[in-house]
Amino acid sequence: FTSRDPETAARNRKNYAILQQSVARLAKADALIVLGSDTGLEDHIFGYVEQKELELMNAAGMTPMQVIVAATSRAAAFLDLKNTGTLAAGRRADFLVLDANPLDDIRNTRRIAGIVIGGRDVDRAALRASLPRD
């Protein structure tokens, strides 16, 4: 971020404050809000930016439950994914097991104890070992 000038930073802060107010109003009106970040951009690290967006949505006025719905069932519905997004009989079992309740603190979504994809536990140690280390 060192190449960004102070004017651009100030303008972005002002625009973000407007965005926060809009999110709060939309959440209060029960608008259909969906999690969607720009993961993959130069300064948007996979996995981290989604976690940060959950926190920012909560800080902007959404309840933890509204944020979780925006990131799960609402996102699946928006993408027309009929077999995922909620835990229900007959649906694909994709979910995280957390060490703490995200309804108490949305940052608890970072406390991942396990991952299940398609009904199968993900071997996180094996996955971590398979990643390149540059």
Side-chain angles (χ1 to χ4, degrees):
F1 300 110
T2 57
S3 65
R4 296 187 182 163
D5 64 272
E7 287 179 28
T8 300
R11 186 174 58 251
N12 287 343
R13 277 192 291 279
K14 182 180 175 186
N15 290 341
Y16 187 74
I18 293 168
L19 178 63
Q20 279 186 306
Q21 292 170 356
S22 297
V23 168
R25 287 183 190 141
L26 290 167
K28 189 173 182 179
D30 286 326
L32 300 179
I33 300 172
V34 176
L35 173 83
S37 49
D38 293 327
T39 295
L41 295 177
E42 179 182 344
D43 56 356
H44 290 66
I45 301 167
F46 282 102
Y48 172 77
V49 74
E50 291 82 9
Q51 292 294 332
K52 193 63 180 169
E53 186 168 350
L54 296 175
E55 294 171 26
L56 292 171
M57 292 167 82
N58 183 229
M62 293 177 69
T63 67
M65 181 57 84
Q66 287 174 313
V67 172
I68 291 166
V69 168
T72 57
S73 60
R74 182 120 349 105
F78 180 78
L79 295 171
D80 201 29
L81 301 174
K82 299 182 185 337
N83 200 27
T84 191
T86 59
L87 292 176
R91 291 201 172 209
R92 183 180 163 91
D94 297 333
F95 58 91
L96 300 175
V97 179
L98 303 175
D99 283 333
N101 188 345
L103 298 179
D104 295 336
D105 184 339
I106 198 66
R107 292 174 298 178
N108 288 338
T109 58
R110 294 181 183 204
R111 298 187 56 183
I112 300 170
I115 302 171
V116 176
I117 298 177
R120 295 190 177 137
D121 287 330
V122 173
D123 183 343
R124 294 172 73 197
L127 178 60
R128 194 175 298 115
S130 73
L131 297 174
R133 301 222 182 252
D134 292 334

